[in-house]
Amino acid sequence: MTSGQETYIQPLSNYVNIKRELDQFDCDNESLNSFLKNEAMNYDKADCGRTWLLKSDHMIVGFFTLSASQTEIKKFFKKEKHRKGKHVTIYPCVHLSYFAIHKDYQNQGIGTALMKQVFKMVWIEISRFIGVNVMTVDAKAKAVNFYKKMGFETPTSRNQDGDLFMAITLSEIEDILLDT
């Protein structure tokens, strides 16, 4: 993005005529591209998740989709002291279902900045209205280091697609946001 370009995050559901912009999005991952172009709007309409777009002028720079979920946590977090209710093993969570940055904008800090916005949304907005302790993601192999850099931790499991399940507590998100 060039200096002076305005960027903003808005829900996909705010847009009616956005097909051309969706079709132009390319993050170099066909499953993520396909989700945004062909399924994201239906996900929103079916209340299965909410997709948010990072836009600049008339271009989608990135997007993410959040959904409600639950996860079983035993002892895979390094920072167990952050877990609330240590006797609980099933935790309500916000699942980062999809997260992508357009290939022309990768490795420029935009993904990190967008993830911090996701963290703010989860910590400030979502956790005010629902009980949630954890944020999870099924990380594509190429993205595991990015998520680790953002504070997500990795248990030893992969899902059936080969993605790595990762998680971060809301306490850790709070610490990250307060440090910035």
Side-chain angles (χ1 to χ4, degrees):
M1 289 184 296
T2 59
S3 179
Q5 276 185 312
E6 182 183 352
T7 60
Y8 47 93
I9 299 171
Q10 289 194 327
L12 175 63
S13 59
N14 278 11
Y15 296 94
V16 178
N17 298 319
I18 195 166
K19 181 166 177 27
R20 186 174 113 332
E21 290 176 59
L22 293 173
D23 287 343
Q24 292 175 347
F25 184 83
D26 183 4
C27 67
D28 267 347
N29 180 299
E30 196 46 47
S31 68
L32 292 171
N33 291 337
S34 178
F35 171 78
L36 181 62
K37 295 171 186 179
N38 304 314
E39 300 173 53
M41 196 65 83
N42 291 332
Y43 236 60
D44 276 30
K45 288 178 184 174
D47 292 326
C48 292
R50 294 286 179 254
T51 297
W52 295 79
L53 304 176
L54 173 62
K55 291 196 61 190
S56 176
D57 294 328
H58 297 290
M59 179 177 184
I60 298 170
V61 176
F63 79 94
F64 62 92
T65 303
L66 297 175
S67 59
S69 189
Q70 68 179 21
T71 190
E72 184 172 5
I73 298 175
K74 297 202 176 170
K75 292 194 176 208
F76 65 76
F77 279 110
K78 293 175 192 164
K79 299 172 185 156
E80 289 239 3
K81 66 180 185 254
H82 287 293
R83 285 190 9 201
K84 297 176 183 174
K86 292 181 176 25
H87 61 283
V88 178
T89 58
I90 303 293
Y91 285 83
C93 64
V94 173
H95 186 67
L96 181 61
S97 305
Y98 298 92
F99 185 92
I101 302 297
H102 191 285
K103 66 182 180 181
D104 293 346
Y105 297 97
Q106 293 176 6
N107 301 310
Q108 297 178 28
I110 295 168
T112 299
L114 183 58
M115 183 60 73
K116 286 183 180 178
Q117 290 300 315
V118 173
F119 284 170
K120 283 180 187 175
M121 183 182 287
V122 170
W123 183 59
I124 294 170
E125 297 297 327
I126 295 173
S127 70
R128 284 186 345 170
F129 297 103
I130 63 170
V132 60
N133 299 73
V134 179
M135 184 173 165
T136 61
V137 64
D138 292 318
K140 304 284 182 212
K142 238 177 117 175
V144 168
N145 287 335
F146 168 76
Y147 289 116
K148 282 182 180 179
K149 181 181 87 170
M150 296 306 304
F152 286 81
E153 295 180 38
T154 311
T156 57
S157 65
R158 291 188 182 272
N159 69 14
Q160 64 273 14
D161 297 326
D163 298 336
L164 192 62
F165 175 79
M166 302 180 82
I168 185 170
T169 65
L170 257 63
S171 296
E172 290 169 306
I173 288 173
E174 177 182 13
D175 290 346
I176 290 166
L177 292 174
L178 293 175
D179 285 344
T180 55

